[in-house]
Amino acid sequence: RASSRRLCPLPYLPEGWRADTVHAGVLAAPTEPPRRFGADGAGREVLRLRDAAGRAVALAEVQQVHTLAYTGLWLERHWVASPRALLVLALGLVERARALDLDEVGYLAPTGREEAVTWVRAGYYVAGRYAVYTGGGA
């Protein structure tokens, strides 16, 4: 989780990079086969980052969450082209939550991965351990 509460926006895009927020439709990551990211539905959107050459370098599918405890963006899934793009995406998600006047960004991240270090560098922190029921028989 990362808090989005601060007094002013934080510049996070490298020179020449652009961030777009898509509110409807499907975007495809430039992978083989293409991974699809959908923005259809209430509170759902895709944040897309493009580098200085105009190439897509990151996609994040998020859902706005409004509970009694907090409001936030929940990161459903993401794709990045590089470690640098991941750091910029992590920062960009916090800025998007701030622009929407939401409290935080949440992501149920796999543990023990090198990627986790990047999320922490961007200001995210471990909020605790979760017990997850995935179904199945007794």
Side-chain angles (χ1 to χ4, degrees):
R1 286 188 173 162
S3 174
S4 69
R5 298 296 181 191
R6 54 176 159 258
L7 298 176
C8 60
L10 175 70
Y12 69 95
L13 289 169
E15 187 173 337
W17 284 36
R18 289 189 347 245
D20 305 311
T21 304
V22 178
H23 299 281
V26 175
L27 298 177
T31 59
E32 201 49 56
R35 290 183 56 199
R36 303 200 185 294
F37 292 78
D40 291 327
R44 184 174 290 277
E45 58 189 46
V46 176
L47 178 66
R48 174 178 48 198
L49 299 179
R50 294 182 187 264
D51 65 11
R55 294 179 301 250
V57 294
L59 294 168
E61 187 175 293
V62 297
Q63 174 72 49
Q64 286 190 36
V65 177
H66 300 271
T67 74
L68 295 175
Y70 77 98
T71 62
L73 282 182
W74 184 258
L75 176 57
E76 295 288 343
R77 61 199 187 106
H78 69 286
W79 164 83
V80 294
S82 68
R84 182 180 190 197
L86 176 61
L87 179 59
V88 176
L89 178 66
L91 295 170
L93 290 168
V94 173
E95 290 306 307
R96 180 67 185 144
R98 190 201 59 73
L100 293 168
D101 198 28
L102 302 174
D103 299 321
E104 65 185 45
V105 176
Y107 172 44
L108 188 56
T111 58
R113 292 178 52 185
E114 185 177 317
E115 181 181 299
V117 173
T118 301
W119 291 101
V120 171
R121 279 183 55 210
Y124 290 70
Y125 64 93
V126 176
R129 300 181 66 85
Y130 292 88
V132 179
Y133 178 76
T134 59

